[in-house]
Amino acid sequence: MAEWGEWGEWGEWDGVGGAGRHRIVLKVAWRMGKLVFPRRTGFQEGDEMKAMSVKWAAAAAVAMLAGATCGQEVLVLSSGDGLLDANVIQVLAAHGLTGTVGPQYWQFTGSGNLCGFDCVYMQANINWAAGDMPEGGQQAIVDVINRGGGFVTTEWSVWKSGAGSLVTLANAFAVSPSATFNGSSPATYTQVTAQATVNAGLPTNFTFALDSYAGTNNSLIPKAGATVFYSSSVLDNGVVGWDFGAGRSASISVCAGPVSLADANFARLITNVMRWSFGRPPTCRPDLTSGAIPGSPGYGVPNCALNNDDFFYYLSQFAAGNVAVADMTTSAIPGSAGYGVPNGVINNDDFFYYLTLFSTGC
């Protein structure tokens, strides 16, 4: 590989900055495998460009682009029933989440790259009696939570911890191990703690029918520091969550099969809880890909490592108008309203924000 090799020009931009008008042509080069930004490119008229370094001026290479609301990725550990899994994916999609069906919990070893998932959803309903989750799978989920992801469970997951399984994973549960369950239906959930994301679009209380897989619901005993979001008319609590590591986990008392998912309020609640679970900033948000070559293995899949591939990947997605990747903020000014909060629109603020993240590192 030659010591110097020009990667290419992203384009030109005319804009006003400071007291003058600037015309910039960005060129990016490689030197000994590292990104190099020339000290100055193109020309400028008027005062010196004080507000932005040429590094930040990368954003000027692309025009502002508009897009739609971005979705978040949820790994759904399979129930063992294809129809129920498909139903879950449909419910997620209806509420702006993207679901991917993974192995059943008792087959989940944690192998593969989980960096692209914001949340892991453990069903353990139809297949509740299949056995324990392999230790590698339990630790992989704990790692997802620790790096800023979310984890959501339903009835039999908590019961299994109370029966002596899921020992490693139970540390991340917001509730203590409990094997207390029953088969009652319906249930009424009543709001206990107001939380904007969890409560969004829901009445203060609602009643819904439950699915029975050798039982309908499990007792949820909150650990110290956990929050009870909803109580349940059956046994005790309906939804309990807490912060764990850099992320969050939550438990829901019922089995979440096709009957409960058909209820509009419950479907909204479970997706709200998932969205809340990954509502904390991830520990390495600028990590976007494992490689910069389109079509190569790992392209567009985070690998929990930050390098130049991530930078070039973001450039390409920004230029393509991919809102799901490139929309990162409403404003590029730290401390301002909407800083770090996607707004469904791609513009130069997103690019400046990404470059701030990238230069800060993980």
Side-chain angles (χ1 to χ4, degrees):
M1 176 179 178
E3 183 177 1
W4 285 93
E6 186 173 287
W7 195 82
E9 293 187 9
W10 279 91
E12 301 181 3
W13 171 74
D14 284 311
V16 177
R21 186 173 184 85
H22 315 284
R23 184 168 183 244
I24 299 165
V25 179
L26 173 71
K27 294 186 179 181
V28 182
W30 287 93
R31 186 177 186 184
M32 300 300 289
K34 295 183 178 180
L35 265 177
V36 176
F37 291 90
R39 286 183 176 272
R40 179 170 301 186
T41 56
F43 64 87
Q44 62 182 15
E45 299 171 5
D47 288 351
E48 290 294 320
M49 195 172 184
K50 298 177 181 178
M52 300 183 296
S53 68
V54 173
K55 182 175 181 180
W56 301 124
V62 189
M64 289 190 288
L65 299 165
T69 302
C70 56
Q72 271 73 38
E73 298 286 341
V74 178
L75 175 62
V76 178
L77 297 186
S78 175
S79 65
D81 180 271
L83 292 178
L84 176 54
D85 292 344
N87 191 3
V88 171
I89 298 301
Q90 290 171 357
V91 168
L92 296 183
H95 293 85
L97 302 176
T98 301
T100 299
V101 178
Q104 298 185 54
Y105 75 88
W106 59 275
Q107 297 173 318
F108 181 64
T109 63
S111 61
N113 188 351
L114 301 182
C115 287
F117 293 104
D118 300 289
C119 175
V120 178
Y121 171 46
M122 181 176 174
Q123 296 187 83
N125 39 34
I126 293 176
N127 55 358
W128 69 272
D132 203 356
M133 182 185 293
E135 178 64 22
Q138 295 185 51
Q139 187 58 55
I141 294 175
V142 171
D143 291 343
V144 168
I145 309 169
N146 276 329
R147 67 169 170 78
F151 178 53
V152 176
T153 72
T154 53
E155 180 202 355
W156 286 111
S157 302
V158 175
W159 181 90
K160 293 181 77 67
S161 71
S165 297
L166 305 176
V167 174
T168 296
L169 189 53
N171 291 322
F173 285 10
V175 297
S176 299
S178 173
T180 301
F181 73 99
N182 67 25
S184 298
S185 177
T188 298
Y189 276 9
T190 301
Q191 182 188 125
V192 174
T193 302
Q195 205 290 326
T197 302
V198 175
N199 305 147
L202 293 171
T204 303
N205 60 74
F206 61 92
T207 301
F208 59 104
L210 308 184
D211 300 89
S212 180
Y213 301 107
T216 58
N217 62 97
N218 203 83
S219 175
L220 298 182
I221 304 170
K223 291 179 180 176
T227 299
V228 177
F229 294 111
Y230 286 86
S231 64
S232 174
S233 62
V234 180
L235 292 177
D236 39 42
N237 296 306
V239 181
V240 180
W242 73 345
D243 293 352
F244 185 87
R248 290 172 173 156
S249 74
S251 292
I252 299 173
S253 65
V254 302
C255 285
V259 174
S260 56
L261 290 173
D263 182 87
N265 286 322
F266 181 79
R268 179 174 290 277
L269 174 65
I270 193 170
T271 51
N272 283 355
V273 171
M274 291 179 187
R275 199 178 300 279
W276 170 85
S277 77
F278 52 75
R280 302 180 77 191
T283 55
C284 193
R285 192 174 178 188
D287 170 34
L288 300 173
T289 190
S290 301
I293 303 174
S296 63
Y299 185 71
V301 180
N303 62 348
C304 297
L306 186 65
N307 55 35
N308 292 338
D309 287 346
D310 298 294
F311 176 82
F312 285 126
Y313 178 78
Y314 185 83
L315 278 177
S316 66
Q317 300 307 303
F318 185 90
N322 186 346
V323 179
V325 173
D327 174 28
M328 290 201 155
T329 191
T330 304
S331 167
I333 303 173
S336 63
Y339 185 70
V341 180
N343 63 345
V345 176
I346 303 175
N347 58 31
N348 291 342
D349 287 345
D350 297 296
F351 210 115
F352 293 150
Y353 180 78
Y354 179 78
L355 288 175
T356 298
L357 296 180
F358 183 82
S359 64
T360 301
C362 296

